[in-house]
Each structure stands twice: as C-alpha cells, then as structure tokens.
Amino acid sequence: MRKQIGDLSGQATSLNNLGVLYQNKHDLQNALNHFKQSIEIAESIGEKKYLGVRYGNLASIYEKRRNFQEALQIYKKALALEQSQKNMNGVARQLNNIAGILGDLGKYDECVSNYTEALQIYESLGLKLGIANTSNNLGVVFYKYKRAYVKAIEFLEKALRIYEELNIPNMIFSTRQNLEQIKKSLNQN
C-alpha cells in the first residue's frame, strides 16, 4: 500500500518492521533483505531519524550469524548516525551492541570501556532498564572474563535492585544465579 501511494518513508518503516518480524521468526535471510531495503530507501530520501536503528537491526543479523567483524563495522556506523542525531539513548544502545561484539572477539578491556560509556549515558538519562541491563552486562564480563569478582558483584547487585524494582522476573532469576556462582567461586578460592 505504501509503495502504491509513493510513501517512501512509510515504506522504509514497513520494511524495517517486516525485518524485525522475520528476525523474531529466526528467518535471518529475509530479515537481512528487508533491513537492507529499508536502509536503501531511507538513505535515498535523506531520512536519517531512524537510520541508526535500522543499521543496528542489520548489524544484529550479522551478529547472529557470528560474522562479528561485519557486525562491528555496521554497529559503529549505527553509533555514528545516533551521535549525529544527538539520540543519546540510541548512542548508549549502540555502545552496548559494540561492547557485546568486542566481548565475543575477546577484547574485554574495550568491551568494558564501551559498556561503561553506555552506563554513564543511561544514568544521565535516568533510564532504569538501560542502567540495569548494562550493569548486568558489566557484571558478567567482570565475572566470567576478567575474574574481578568484587566488581562483578557490585554491578550485578545494582542490576538486581533495578530488576526487582521494575519486576522483571527472568532477569531477577538470571542475575541471582550469576551472583550465586560468583559467591561459590569466592568460597572455593
């Protein structure tokens, strides 16, 4: 319908939304195709407002396919777009995505740096879920990869308090499990 009436902006949005649907159905090739089409149309009409989100969606497909280098490059482009739009929530989201890829690549110091920057942004915006998720991510990195148990506990307890406040049962459960594993590790040392 949007194509028939010449609504290119709406068409780009619809294609992106279809990409998300395909991604949720684990049909990564169709998701990839729809995200690329969405980006192509948005760029052709100079629409930048949601371009960072669209590139982030595209990068997530490469990440799911374990093509980390390609995902990293696209996430960095998404970050630059979010920065150019002064969308600080989007900047924090893309920093989180980049940090996750850096962790997958074994670049833990860079990973922590990106998560830390994202956390600072979420805190300045007062976005509790972003604070909780990023604190949780930092806690996991400090526990599993850096073996800095005290720091891991600090971040995980911070995340847990917020998850409890927001009443997010699955995250409460997994964060408690991580805390229990750390405490067991501490008792064994």
Side-chain angles (χ1 to χ4, degrees):
M1 177 68 165
R2 292 184 189 271
K3 192 174 188 176
Q4 292 170 337
I5 63 172
D7 178 8
L8 292 176
S9 177
Q11 192 178 345
T13 298
S14 294
L15 286 165
N16 186 70
N17 291 343
L18 284 169
V20 171
L21 287 173
Y22 281 117
Q23 185 175 17
N24 290 341
K25 293 173 75 172
H26 307 288
D27 184 347
L28 300 184
Q29 188 57 52
N30 269 321
L32 183 78
N33 293 339
H34 282 79
F35 290 144
K36 284 182 176 181
Q37 289 175 37
S38 172
I39 290 167
E40 186 178 305
I41 291 170
E43 287 180 333
S44 76
I45 61 173
E47 183 179 275
K48 294 186 179 180
K49 186 173 182 185
Y50 299 109
L51 204 50
V53 171
R54 290 182 173 119
Y55 271 103
N57 289 341
L58 179 62
S60 71
I61 299 300
Y62 287 102
E63 182 178 5
K64 286 181 188 329
R65 289 181 163 180
R66 305 193 61 74
N67 185 341
F68 297 131
Q69 292 299 333
E70 185 72 18
L72 182 60
Q73 292 313 307
I74 297 171
Y75 278 136
K76 285 181 177 180
K77 184 167 188 163
L79 174 62
L81 287 162
E82 297 290 17
Q83 289 168 327
S84 74
Q85 294 293 302
K86 297 183 179 16
N87 177 5
M88 296 313 290
N89 185 20
V91 168
R93 182 177 46 255
Q94 300 310 336
L95 286 167
N96 254 315
N97 291 333
I98 290 167
I101 295 291
L102 292 168
D104 289 333
L105 294 171
K107 298 179 179 183
Y108 302 118
D109 291 337
E110 291 177 65
C111 170
V112 167
S113 176
N114 278 267
Y115 277 141
T116 301
E117 188 177 347
L119 180 59
Q120 290 168 347
I121 293 169
Y122 282 131
E123 288 174 338
S124 74
L125 296 172
L127 297 174
K128 289 183 180 183
L129 186 57
I131 295 167
N133 289 338
T134 307
S135 295
N136 188 57
N137 292 340
L138 277 163
V140 170
V141 170
F142 278 113
Y143 165 54
K144 290 187 176 180
Y145 306 110
K146 305 278 282 174
R147 300 290 184 226
Y149 297 140
V150 174
K151 272 192 165 187
I153 290 170
E154 281 178 37
F155 283 113
L156 289 170
E157 285 180 343
K158 179 178 185 173
L160 180 60
R161 283 191 301 275
I162 297 170
Y163 289 140
E164 288 173 339
E165 179 185 335
L166 298 176
N167 193 26
I168 304 175
N170 62 322
M171 294 308 297
I172 293 168
F173 178 76
S174 68
T175 305
R176 283 183 181 159
Q177 278 190 314
N178 285 333
L179 282 165
E180 286 175 25
Q181 288 176 349
I182 294 171
K183 289 174 184 173
K184 283 181 188 175
S185 295
L186 284 172
N187 288 335
Q188 291 174 359
N189 292 334

